[in-house]
Amino acid sequence: MLFKKLSTVERVYNIGLEQSSLIDIFDNINIFVKEAEGDLIKLYDLRILEKIPVKDIMTKHIITINSGDNIDKLKKYIEQYRHMGYPVLDENGKLIGIVTFKDLEKKNKKTIKDIMTPKDQLILISPETSASESQKIMAKNDIGRLLVVDGNGNLVGIVSRGDIVKTYRIYSEKTSKIQKCSRITNFYFYDKDKNSKLKKLAEDLIVLLGGRDYIVSEKDDYIEILTRDWEPLAKIMKSGDNIDHISITTKSINILQMNIIHEILKTIEKYSFEEIVITDHITLIDEKSAIQRIITDVTSFKDSKKTFGTVTIRSDF
């Protein structure tokens, strides 16, 4: 069975916030991140239904009713089995229609054949039809169940909305959701005393991180800070003899869960830069390689304590 690759879905939010600290800014960004993460999980859960054929979830032991039976038989079935619809078979056991509770409204009729919906008016599906497609068919036609027939037109099962909801719940609870996250946050600084402030800021960060047992390694174009496990945490990027910008790299969706990030942000704030531009590139990947990217581009202004920018959420499947 072939599945069509979904197009890229993109949403852009314009934000204008009045914030007192960089931590407040990241708190707001995290609202968008969590929404994006939630969307990815929902989309992933719906994709689960695309992979499940109805033959795996349908009811195979079907209660049927004969076309020649009296209408009272349908009433007894509904009282006994609590189902609202029943496939109708002819004298040879072949499917010829379906009868439901609503059909009892038809007046002056005696047999099931008189009130049933005939087979040629039914929407029938094969055992290989996906649960997702079955759900769409039911929603489009406002029906609660579909009859499943084999290649010879023989009735082999029935699938209901309840079967699909139950399947969705079972499989969505088992999924491990987001498998990978990468986040790169860049800070660009603007100030009439930018170079001197950045030089002192870089020195403070090296002392701070070195004192927390992070590994500080100086290269030609940047100063790299690694964890004790040699995972990257930050880079202080150079432009000639001056500091250009600071970059933080993590695998955490919410970087504010890391205490060291709080200390880095507080150290940056200490220098009261006139403007700080923050670009944030977050990539979330689920276990089936569906990708969601959150790209933020915001500017924080010292004088007004206001932040303006955009958050772009892009989903690729």
Side-chain angles (χ1 to χ4, degrees):
M1 187 178 294
L2 298 176
F3 295 96
K4 183 179 179 181
K5 184 178 176 65
L6 298 180
S7 303
T8 297
V9 178
E10 182 174 287
R11 289 170 293 152
V12 179
Y13 299 88
N14 292 304
I15 62 174
L17 307 169
E18 190 166 339
Q19 301 299 332
S20 59
S21 72
L22 292 177
I23 290 176
D24 290 335
I25 293 171
F26 278 93
D27 272 334
N28 279 276
I29 289 175
N30 284 337
I31 293 173
F32 294 102
V33 174
K34 293 304 291 184
E35 178 180 337
E37 179 192 9
D39 285 351
L40 183 59
I41 289 171
K42 289 176 184 176
L43 289 168
Y44 170 74
D45 287 343
L46 292 176
R47 290 176 69 218
I48 290 174
L49 297 180
E50 294 178 357
K51 309 297 182 182
I52 301 174
V54 293
K55 67 182 180 182
D56 291 346
I57 65 172
M58 68 185 184
T59 300
K60 298 177 182 177
H61 302 290
I62 311 163
I63 302 168
T64 61
I65 195 166
N66 295 322
S67 60
D69 287 338
N70 191 282
I71 292 175
D72 289 338
K73 184 92 174 267
L74 174 60
K75 297 176 182 177
K76 292 178 181 178
Y77 269 30
I78 292 173
E79 291 176 0
Q80 182 177 355
Y81 299 111
R82 302 298 180 183
H83 297 317
M84 296 296 106
Y86 299 86
V88 181
L89 306 182
D90 64 13
E91 61 272 12
N92 297 315
K94 293 292 186 179
L95 175 69
I96 61 170
I98 192 170
V99 66
T100 71
F101 174 76
K102 288 185 177 180
D103 292 324
L104 291 174
E105 297 174 358
K106 298 174 182 177
K107 304 298 183 181
N108 302 320
K109 305 294 182 181
K110 294 182 178 181
T111 67
I112 295 300
K113 189 173 183 179
D114 294 332
I115 64 172
M116 73 177 189
T117 300
K119 181 180 177 180
D120 59 7
Q121 295 181 25
L122 299 180
I123 300 172
L124 305 175
I125 60 173
S126 78
E128 300 301 326
T129 305
S130 72
S132 175
E133 182 63 23
S134 301
Q135 184 183 48
K136 292 175 184 176
I137 292 171
M138 288 187 222
K140 181 179 179 181
N141 295 279
D142 193 25
I143 50 180
R145 63 196 62 80
L146 290 170
L147 300 182
V148 185
V149 297
D150 62 18
N152 296 317
N154 296 316
L155 180 67
V156 295
I158 186 167
V159 65
S160 68
R161 286 177 178 171
D163 294 326
I164 294 174
V165 170
K166 181 171 66 176
T167 302
Y168 170 83
R169 288 174 179 168
I170 291 172
Y171 278 83
S172 64
E173 288 172 359
K174 291 181 178 179
T175 59
S176 52
K177 312 303 182 188
I178 303 300
Q179 296 293 299
K180 295 181 182 178
C181 170
S182 63
R183 185 166 187 165
I184 300 174
T185 307
N186 295 310
F187 296 86
Y188 299 90
F189 305 92
Y190 298 88
D191 193 282
K192 60 180 179 295
D193 297 322
K194 170 184 171 181
N195 290 336
S196 61
K197 284 186 176 182
L198 279 178
K199 182 178 179 181
K200 293 177 182 177
L201 172 58
E203 292 172 353
D204 283 354
L205 290 177
I206 291 170
V207 171
L208 168 67
L209 297 167
R212 299 293 189 275
D213 292 330
Y214 287 90
I215 301 163
V216 179
S217 175
E218 187 160 0
K219 312 292 184 181
D220 290 338
D221 297 327
Y222 59 87
I223 301 168
E224 187 173 37
I225 293 94
L226 307 171
T227 69
R228 282 171 288 183
D229 297 324
W230 297 92
E231 291 286 341
L233 174 70
K235 284 185 179 179
I236 302 172
M237 305 302 297
K238 300 178 183 177
S239 177
D241 294 330
N242 296 318
I243 304 300
D244 184 72
H245 68 277
I246 294 170
S247 177
I248 295 175
T249 303
T250 72
K251 295 181 180 179
S252 173
I253 294 174
N254 180 3
I255 60 173
L256 293 182
Q257 292 171 343
M258 304 170 63
N259 291 333
I260 191 63
I261 300 298
H262 281 252
E263 295 190 62
I264 290 173
L265 295 179
K266 289 178 181 177
T267 302
I268 292 173
E269 286 184 329
K270 187 172 68 173
Y271 286 93
S272 298
F273 288 93
E274 293 173 8
E275 294 179 22
I276 302 177
V277 176
I278 306 165
T279 63
D280 219 345
H281 295 257
I282 307 159
T283 303
L284 306 176
I285 304 176
D286 75 10
E287 62 183 14
K288 296 300 181 181
S289 300
I291 302 172
Q292 194 149 43
R293 295 182 176 89
I294 302 95
I295 304 166
T296 72
D297 189 351
V298 301
T299 303
S300 176
F301 299 92
K302 181 190 72 173
D303 289 342
S304 63
K305 295 190 180 298
K306 289 185 179 179
T307 301
F308 299 95
T310 60
V311 177
T312 304
I313 300 174
R314 182 179 299 144
S315 302
D316 300 309
F317 294 90

